[in-house]
Amino acid sequence: MAWSTDNCTVGRTMAILGERWTVVVLREVFNGVRRFDDIRRHSGIPRQVLSNRLASLVEQDILRREPYRPESGGRTRHEYRPTAKGLDLYLVLVAVAEWGDTYLADPEGPPVEFVHRDCGEQVHPVVECAAGHRIDTPRDVVGRPGPGAKPFEG
Amino acid sequence: MAWSTDNCTVGRTMAILGERWTVVVLREVFNGVRRFDDIRRHSGIPRQVLSNRLASLVEQDILRREPYRPESGGRTRHEYRPTAKGLDLYLVLVAVAEWGDTYLADPEGPPVEFVHRDCGEQVHPVVECAAGHRIDTPRDVVGRPGPGAKPFEG
DNA sequence: ACGCTGAGTCTCGTTGACAGACCCAGATCG
DNA sequence: CGATCTGGGTCTGTCAACGAGACTCAGCGT
């Protein structure tokens, strides 16, 4: 019972995602809203915060900053797109959105639904084990020490 | 193209989960670490912060506080257990842990693995649509206005 | 009576969130 | 030409949250 469940990866991940707006920014970007001002208007994030968030997401290699030439001519601008590392966060995003829609949506329902492009049905996160069993309660999941576990003395 | 993808539920959810330690606390509690000092020692969360987190999670009805009588006699203490609303966050937790283990683990590997209680295989989050199609890239997911969508003027 | 333990609270310096004003380059208008 | 608009920022100041460390307090064991 005394291996260290140490906050390791979850703690580190939350040091990134845990900043109030990070996940919201990712949501916009996944949704195709990729330009500074568009993101800002859609989400209501304060300029400075958005600026910081974008910069640190780029630095973490979760987004990348790409120059583009606006349709209507004009100066070169930048847009933000997810990297592979960033795309892998969509599982987190879907899980967060689902929980939020279940417990925190306005009475009318959620403002956006995520649907499967091919069939139009709503998407949901589920948990499976490597043997393909569907797991629908946390009771069926147990933690156990992994390769990086360190012994733990209370 | 101009419905408001407004940060609504994701934003609200992240107002809770986005506090640096919330998810770490949940991880401990799901893992069976339920007592103040055990959580603190395992995770290294500062006392005051843990105190705040636990209080607000109880207030949000994500954890509940239950009195218990320690084995070795002594005064009545409290432990923290997830409510149904809290249990539903395990999808988020699994997704966060998976991403963290993939991208942020120490070279030796993650310190804890989550496995299926019945078969011992590792668990993974996946996304499916209501029609049962497996979705493994965010490209196959599109957002569209849901019941609570509001028209949006830039 | 003395110290230990679990579960906190108090204090204080540091960092992050957020609002509001300001800046700058190129396009467009009069 | 100068004035103004637009996208994408930066500067400044306030207020809340974080995090370290010391202090508290009740009951138990010795």
Side-chain angles (χ1 to χ4, degrees), chain B:
Chain B
M1 228 320 118
W3 29 274
S4 161
T5 73
D6 175 307
N7 64 343
C8 240
T9 55
V10 172
R12 287 180 208 172
T13 307
M14 292 315 296
I16 299 172
L17 301 186
E19 278 176 298
R20 177 93 175 64
W21 292 107
T22 302
V23 176
V24 175
V25 170
L26 289 172
R27 203 183 77 106
E28 298 304 334
V29 171
F30 282 149
N31 250 309
V33 179
R34 307 218 157 106
R35 276 120 98 148
F36 190 92
D37 245 44
D38 293 344
I39 298 174
R40 197 182 58 77
R41 274 196 299 264
H42 266 221
S43 60
I45 307 175
R47 279 183 155 78
Q48 176 102 58
V49 177
L50 179 55
S51 201
N52 292 352
R53 256 359 72 219
L54 288 171
S56 75
L57 287 169
V58 168
E59 192 186 339
Q60 308 265 344
D61 191 34
I62 288 170
L63 296 181
R64 92 196 108 85
R65 190 170 198 257
E66 300 214 326
Y68 73 99
R69 192 128 274 274
E71 321 71 22
S72 54
R75 203 166 30 146
T76 298
R77 304 273 175 197
H78 294 91
E79 63 181 15
Y80 298 87
R81 308 167 143 274
T83 62
K85 184 171 169 188
L87 282 174
D88 276 356
L89 283 167
Y90 93 112
L91 278 160
V92 174
L93 196 71
V94 170
V96 166
E98 172 110 341
W99 190 87
D101 289 350
T102 304
Y103 292 104
L104 305 176
D106 288 327
E108 323 91 78
V112 184
E113 296 170 345
F114 292 102
V115 299
H116 187 189
R117 182 188 294 277
D118 298 346
C119 72
E121 294 291 329
Q122 271 189 266
V123 303
H124 298 285
V126 299
V127 174
E128 282 189 359
C129 74
H133 303 125
R134 173 72 66 88
I135 295 164
D136 27 41
T137 154
R139 310 245 138 199
D140 291 340
V141 178
V142 295
R144 82 169 174 213
K150 298 167 200 73
F152 176 71
E153 302 310 320

Side-chain angles (χ1 to χ4, degrees), chain A:
Chain A
M1 230 318 117
W3 28 275
S4 161
T5 72
D6 176 306
N7 65 341
C8 241
T9 54
V10 171
R12 286 180 209 171
T13 307
M14 293 315 296
I16 300 171
L17 302 186
E19 279 175 297
R20 176 91 177 63
W21 291 107
T22 302
V23 176
V24 175
V25 170
L26 289 173
R27 202 183 78 106
E28 297 305 334
V29 171
F30 282 147
N31 250 309
V33 179
R34 308 217 156 106
R35 276 120 97 145
F36 190 93
D37 246 44
D38 291 345
I39 298 174
R40 199 183 55 77
R41 276 197 298 267
H42 265 221
S43 61
I45 307 177
R47 275 182 156 79
Q48 175 101 56
V49 177
L50 179 55
S51 202
N52 292 353
R53 255 1 70 220
L54 288 171
S56 73
L57 287 169
V58 167
E59 193 186 339
Q60 309 264 343
D61 190 34
I62 289 169
L63 297 181
R64 91 195 108 86
R65 188 169 199 258
E66 300 215 325
Y68 72 99
R69 194 128 272 277
E71 320 72 22
S72 54
R75 200 165 34 144
T76 299
R77 303 274 178 194
H78 294 91
E79 61 181 15
Y80 298 87
R81 307 168 145 274
T83 61
K85 185 171 168 186
L87 282 174
D88 276 356
L89 282 167
Y90 93 112
L91 278 160
V92 174
L93 196 71
V94 170
V96 167
E98 172 109 342
W99 190 86
D101 289 351
T102 305
Y103 292 105
L104 306 175
D106 288 328
E108 322 90 80
V112 184
E113 295 169 345
F114 293 103
V115 299
H116 188 191
R117 182 187 296 276
D118 299 345
C119 73
E121 295 289 329
Q122 271 189 264
V123 304
H124 299 285
V126 298
V127 175
E128 279 188 1
C129 73
H133 304 124
R134 175 71 66 85
I135 296 165
D136 25 41
T137 153
R139 309 245 139 199
D140 292 339
V141 178
V142 295
R144 79 165 178 216
K150 297 167 199 74
F152 176 70
E153 302 309 322

